[in-house]
Structure formats: C-alpha cells, structure tokens
Amino acid sequence: MDIAYNNEPWAGWVYLVRQALNTTVSLPDDQLLLVRDLAGRSFRPREPAPGVIPRIGAVLIALYPDGADLRLLLTVRSNHVASHRGEVSLPGGATDPDDAGPVTTALRECAEELGIAPDTVTVLGTLTPVYIPPSNFRITPVVGVLNAPPRLTINHDEVERVITVTLRELLDPATVMVEHWKLHGHDVLVPFFAIAGYKVWGATALILSELVARMRHARIAYNAEAS
C-alpha cells in the first residue's frame, strides 16, 4: 500500500501506479495503441522530421478517488481551440517561459482548463514524452493524484465537457476497440478506448495505453514477488 494513503480503500491503486511509473520496462509497440497501416506497421511518426523543432508542452493524468477505484479526467476539446477540435484529450498545453518544467506546465494548464488547484495534486511521476505531428508538439504526460473528487470550474473556451473513466475500466481489454478509418488519404487501423460514448484515440490513447501497459507489468511483478 502507499504510505500516504494506506487508510484509504483506493490506496492499492496509488501503489500500483507508483510502481508502474518507477519500474524501468521496455514496452513493445504491440502493447501500445498506435495507429497502424493495414499491414500492421505503425502509421504514427514518433519524432519530428529532420530540421523541425517541436513546441514543448505537458498534460496531466489527474486521478481522484471514487469508492475503491481511482478515476481520471478527460476533456472534450471545444470548437474554439486552434487544433484537435472535438477530440478527447488530457488537460494540458504549451510550456510557458516561466514554467519550471513539465510538472509546472501540466498543473498550471489543468488549473486553467478545469480549475483544479495545483497544490491539491500529488505528482506521482511522468510517462514517455509523445510527439504530436498535426500540432508539432512534444508533450510530457504527468501523473498526479488528488485525495478527493475535484470541484471543477470548466473553461468553456477550451473545454466542451469532461468525461471520466476508472483505472479498472482502462485495464479491461473490452474497453479497447479497433476500426478501419481513412486518415489523411490512407487506409489505417485505429485503436481507441471506448469511453462514455467517445472514441479516445491518437496521442491520448497512446499515453493511456502506456500507463495501462506499465500497470500490467507492475501487477505481474508484484504477484510474482508475493507468491
């Protein structure tokens, strides 16, 4: 159990997430939700083209208790933003010159979008930075936990609505689906998390699938030690 939360019914989840973030493991592509061509090859550029300098940003995986579960927040982007309109994303955005690093960026952006005060979030760690070709961003996913469900103040200039999902649901293979899409003129296979009637795909799916894969590895390691 996590020492900070060992009296809480959701403490086991915090412990598992900490272990997942602190364990060094090389994840094969088949454990990640990557858009692929019909031959099964990754269709997603993992790095910018030579000579292209990406913008830097961060997003927050904000976890909060729901009974014995941990639930995380996802935002549906409004039609007022410059890119990825109507898509499901994690709260976050571009790094400001005054930001000390990705953690500062993620917490500040989440406060601006959802009204979650940075001092209510305990940061657990980070995941692998992800390059997003359409907006030329390299974002660092930051994982944090709140000790109570947040009262949200939604900035509707950026966020149309908020949807949520538990870690238990994310770990359920039935939450993942794959469809054949036409993307930028190419036939591709798009894996996504089916959450609250939305298809969570692209960079957000890639980030969440890394968290899921790391949690599965951490659970296997824990069970092996306990046996």
Side-chain angles (χ1 to χ4, degrees):
M1 292 296 180
D2 192 281
I3 294 174
Y5 305 107
N6 58 7
N7 292 322
E8 303 293 348
W10 38 272
W13 287 109
V14 178
Y15 177 82
L16 183 60
V17 172
R18 281 195 191 274
Q19 293 299 108
L21 297 174
N22 292 333
T23 300
T24 301
V25 59
S26 179
L27 297 174
D29 280 356
D30 61 6
Q31 294 184 19
L32 302 174
L33 297 195
L34 289 163
V35 176
R36 303 177 186 278
D37 64 21
L38 299 187
R41 297 168 299 217
S42 175
F43 187 73
R44 180 186 187 88
R46 304 295 285 272
E47 296 292 337
V52 174
I53 299 175
R55 296 184 290 172
I56 303 301
V59 295
L60 182 67
I61 299 177
L63 305 169
Y64 66 90
D66 180 6
D69 287 314
L70 281 182
R71 188 173 286 276
L72 68 88
L73 296 162
L74 294 161
T75 62
V76 180
R77 293 172 64 84
S78 79
N79 289 323
H80 305 295
V81 295
S83 59
H84 307 290
R85 295 173 181 173
E87 294 184 9
V88 179
S89 66
L90 293 156
T95 296
D96 282 353
D98 294 336
D99 289 345
V103 169
T104 306
T105 299
L107 295 177
R108 175 183 54 75
E109 285 284 340
C110 188
E112 292 174 2
E113 292 182 16
L114 301 179
I116 296 176
D119 61 4
T120 64
V121 181
T122 298
V123 174
L124 303 180
T126 61
L127 293 169
T128 306
V130 171
Y131 178 60
I132 305 176
S135 53
N136 191 35
F137 261 105
R138 178 180 278 116
I139 58 172
T140 298
V142 177
V143 184
V145 62
L146 297 84
N147 61 13
R151 293 185 178 182
L152 302 180
T153 302
I154 298 175
N155 178 355
H156 287 287
D157 287 335
E158 298 185 43
V159 177
E160 178 182 322
R161 64 173 298 200
V162 171
I163 61 175
T164 68
V165 63
T166 65
L167 291 181
R168 191 185 307 274
E169 291 168 325
L170 276 183
L171 284 163
D172 183 351
T175 305
V176 175
M177 304 183 73
V178 181
E179 289 183 348
H180 182 176
W181 290 11
K182 180 79 76 172
L183 195 62
H184 306 305
H186 298 272
D187 290 311
V188 294
L189 299 173
V190 178
F192 59 87
F193 290 101
I195 299 172
Y198 287 87
K199 298 174 182 179
V200 183
W201 69 289
T204 303
L206 176 56
I207 291 167
L208 294 181
S209 67
E210 182 187 345
L211 177 62
V212 165
R214 288 185 174 277
M215 289 175 67
R216 286 178 176 149
H217 279 277
R219 179 178 280 174
I220 291 170
Y222 175 79
N223 289 339
E225 291 176 2
S227 62

